[in-house]
């Protein structure tokens, strides 16, 4: 077996080391250090929001977003079934109920045409999740939310710097959330961010991430928060990464275009849409879905790729099929067939920023071989 190609490798060859040195030399390593504020301000500016609130990961950002909006027992939040568990977990932990929407089979995003039928008197928010680098079709969501008085949480963890009809992802809803896990367009190792234009919501987010200390009386608490703070070390890496976001996005788009041209003639797989009428794909990852004519599923395809030294990852497993939620009596009997199909037939190829053109060619070649 040749030296393998990992599914993700980040690029850390900008100012990361210099800024980390500065943290060590000054002794500022906690969340009180100056890079945190600098990262919050520069990130918010980059994504077109007034406020950025840094947290320790993207899942924590979702927890904070749900509670900051006052969502709790008796409330419903409409969200895609095809997403990471963090989205539904935040809602369930807050005591509210996720209401799930199937995917559009071409964009793999929440099918927004189905939203209106799911709105009830209990609906408090729609949680949109931009999937794999293509945004959700936001205009119908925003129109519906305004008409019904519903809030929007926008999970842009896979969409740093991406735009919808020219508007930045993460700044279209009441609250946006981001992750800086190493496979995201900007990484801090672990990390996350909330974005909002609303000063009161920003204050609530800041309080919730920091144990809800009372500003005027430390160690006295009116509410329960979390310690979800980001360290100065993480923020130092984030500032360096953010300096290169435009370059990273262009690089991901070139990588996606190369995969597209190498795989376009393969009838055995459906490729991501290169663009819709509202956005060009930013290719957070390059996903493929096996055609019905292929006699095996994604797990077999991934095993065959692994045997050739190529890393890959399955698509998300739908929320309505999660044992943890079924045990709690949620989503019983629910069927959302498009998400069920892509969960079984879909996987993604190596897509990290450090991937070379030669490696992309090798991955595409290996995919071609295993489908023969
Ligand atoms: C990565 C991701 C998260 C979670 O972020 P973590 O930093 O890993 O906790 C949440 N939502 C989406 C859509 C993601 O892709």
């Amino acid at each position: 077996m040749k030296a393998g190609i990992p599914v993700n490798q980040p690029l850390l060859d900008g100012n990361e080391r210099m800024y980390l040195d500065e943290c060590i030399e000054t002794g500022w390593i906690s969340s009180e250090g100056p890079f945190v504020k600098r990262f919050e301000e520069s990130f918010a500016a980059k994504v077109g929001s007034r406020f950025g609130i840094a947290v320790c990961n993207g899942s924590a950002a979702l927890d904070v977003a749900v509670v900051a909006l006052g969502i709790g027992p008796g409330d419903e939040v409409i969200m895609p079934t095809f997403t990471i568990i963090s989205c539904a977990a935040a809602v369930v932990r807050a005591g509210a109920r996720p209401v799930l929407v199937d995917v559009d089979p071409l964009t793999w995003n929440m099918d927004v045409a189905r939203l209106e039928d799911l709105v009830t008197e209990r609906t408090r928010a729609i949680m949109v999740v931009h999937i794999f680098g293509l945004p959700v079709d936001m205009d119908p969501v925003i129109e519906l939310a305004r008409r019904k008085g519903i809030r929007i949480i926008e999970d842009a963890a896979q969409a740093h710097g991406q735009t919808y009809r020219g508007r930045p992802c993460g700044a279209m809803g009441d609250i946006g959330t981001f992750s800086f896990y190493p496979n995201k367009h900007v990484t801090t190792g672990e990390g996350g961010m909330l974005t909002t234009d609303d000063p009161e919501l920003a204050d609530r987010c800041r309080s919730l991430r920091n144990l809800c200390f009372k500003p005027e009386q430390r160690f006295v608490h009116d509410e329960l928060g979390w310690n979800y703070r980001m360290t100065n070390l993480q923020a130092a890496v984030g500032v360096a990464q953010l300096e290169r976001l435009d370059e990273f996005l262009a690089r991901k788009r070139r990588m996606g275009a190369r995969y597209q041209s190498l795989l376009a003639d393969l009838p055995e797989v459906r490729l991501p849409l290169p663009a819709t009428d509202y956005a060009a794909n930013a290719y957070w990852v390059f996903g493929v879905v096996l055609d019905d004519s292929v006699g095996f599923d994604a797990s077999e395809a991934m095993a065959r790729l692994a045997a050739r030294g190529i890393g890959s990852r399955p698509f998300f497993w739908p929320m309505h099929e999660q044992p943890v939620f079924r045990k709690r009596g949620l989503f019983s009997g629910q069927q959302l067939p498009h998400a069920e199909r892509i969960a079984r037939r879909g996987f993604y190829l190596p897509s990290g920023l450090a991937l070379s053109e030669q490696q992309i060619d090798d991955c595409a070649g290996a995919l071609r071989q295993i489908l023969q």
Side-chain angles (χ1 to χ4, degrees):
M1 199 168 81
K2 280 190 302 182
I5 302 179
V7 73
N8 178 62
Q9 245 188 312
L11 267 186
L12 297 163
D13 52 357
N15 289 324
E16 288 84 355
R17 189 185 299 267
M18 186 170 84
Y19 296 159
L20 282 170
D21 272 349
E22 200 175 312
C23 297
I24 308 256
E25 276 162 23
T26 59
W28 280 115
I29 56 172
S30 78
S31 61
E32 296 286 313
F35 278 113
V36 177
K37 194 152 191 282
R38 192 164 144 196
F39 186 40
E40 288 177 335
E41 285 172 359
S42 53
F43 190 84
K46 186 78 198 173
V47 304
S49 281
R50 268 183 80 190
F51 305 104
I53 301 96
V55 290
C56 56
N57 59 63
S59 306
L62 286 161
D63 284 339
V64 170
V66 167
V67 174
L69 288 173
I71 293 165
D75 295 335
E76 293 176 355
V77 177
I78 300 174
M79 67 172 65
T81 191
F82 186 71
T83 183
I84 191 165
I85 194 153
S86 315
C87 302
V91 171
V92 170
R93 285 210 182 95
R97 202 166 74 86
V99 174
L100 303 177
V101 189
D102 204 354
V103 290
D104 174 304
L106 296 183
T107 64
W108 307 331
N109 266 307
M110 178 164 83
D111 182 353
V112 298
R114 294 168 190 268
L115 293 180
E116 181 141 15
D117 286 345
L118 298 173
V119 175
T120 72
E121 282 172 3
R122 294 168 178 264
T123 309
R124 293 288 312 284
I126 301 171
M127 184 185 281
V128 300
V129 186
H130 305 300
I131 294 288
F132 292 179
L134 264 186
V136 171
D137 188 4
M138 287 300 289
D139 280 339
V141 180
I142 293 166
E143 187 279 321
L144 177 68
R146 286 214 180 111
R147 184 153 45 84
K148 303 274 187 183
I150 299 169
R151 313 301 288 269
I152 296 176
I153 299 169
E154 198 188 348
D155 183 349
Q158 305 177 1
H160 314 64
Q162 174 60 305
T163 56
Y164 169 84
R165 297 192 195 282
R167 284 126 69 191
C169 291
M172 290 179 277
D174 295 279
I175 296 192
T177 64
F178 291 86
S179 162
F180 306 119
Y181 190 70
N183 65 358
K184 308 295 163 96
H185 287 91
V186 167
T187 185
T188 61
E190 301 283 352
M193 186 81 76
L194 293 127
T195 50
T196 183
D197 288 339
D198 179 336
E200 271 175 45
L201 269 180
D203 275 345
R204 278 191 59 70
C205 292
R206 278 188 211 103
S207 177
L208 285 163
R209 92 169 150 189
N210 191 24
L211 298 168
C212 294
F213 285 117
K214 275 179 90 158
E216 63 281 10
Q217 215 179 354
R218 202 175 170 86
F219 301 117
V220 177
H221 306 260
D222 287 330
E223 270 187 276
L224 285 181
W226 297 272
N227 175 359
Y228 279 169
R229 301 182 299 256
M230 175 183 274
T231 69
N232 202 48
L233 297 164
Q234 292 167 305
V237 174
V239 169
Q241 288 267 300
L242 191 62
E243 291 168 352
R244 300 176 69 191
L245 177 55
D246 294 336
E247 175 198 335
F248 287 172
L249 270 174
R251 190 178 169 93
K252 283 269 189 175
R253 288 200 163 109
R254 276 201 307 278
M255 291 166 52
R258 192 171 186 94
Y259 269 131
Q260 291 279 6
S261 68
L262 290 163
L263 298 172
D265 65 329
L266 263 186
E268 292 92 348
V269 282
R270 173 172 286 288
L271 305 180
L273 291 182
T276 61
D277 64 348
Y278 49 79
N281 204 325
Y283 296 109
W284 171 58
V285 292
F286 196 88
V288 299
V289 176
L290 296 171
D291 187 74
D292 286 336
S293 64
V294 176
F296 50 84
D297 64 10
S299 54
E300 170 67 18
M302 289 187 293
R304 291 185 185 193
L305 285 171
R308 286 165 174 76
I310 310 285
S312 61
R313 286 282 183 281
F315 275 17
F316 294 120
W317 197 249
M319 291 305 109
H320 66 283
E321 296 194 277
Q322 294 289 346
V324 64
F325 294 138
R326 286 285 171 99
K327 270 193 289 195
R328 291 168 180 243
L330 284 165
F331 318 132
S332 60
Q334 196 163 6
Q335 289 182 320
L336 298 165
H338 295 305
E340 288 164 26
R341 180 172 183 282
I342 65 171
R344 287 159 177 80
R345 307 292 286 175
F347 56 97
Y348 63 85
L349 297 169
S351 308
L353 280 160
L355 202 65
S356 70
E357 291 192 344
Q358 182 60 54
Q359 287 176 317
I360 293 175
D361 296 356
D362 292 348
C363 293
L367 180 62
R368 195 173 281 277
Q369 279 174 9
I370 65 143
L371 293 170
Q372 290 314 235

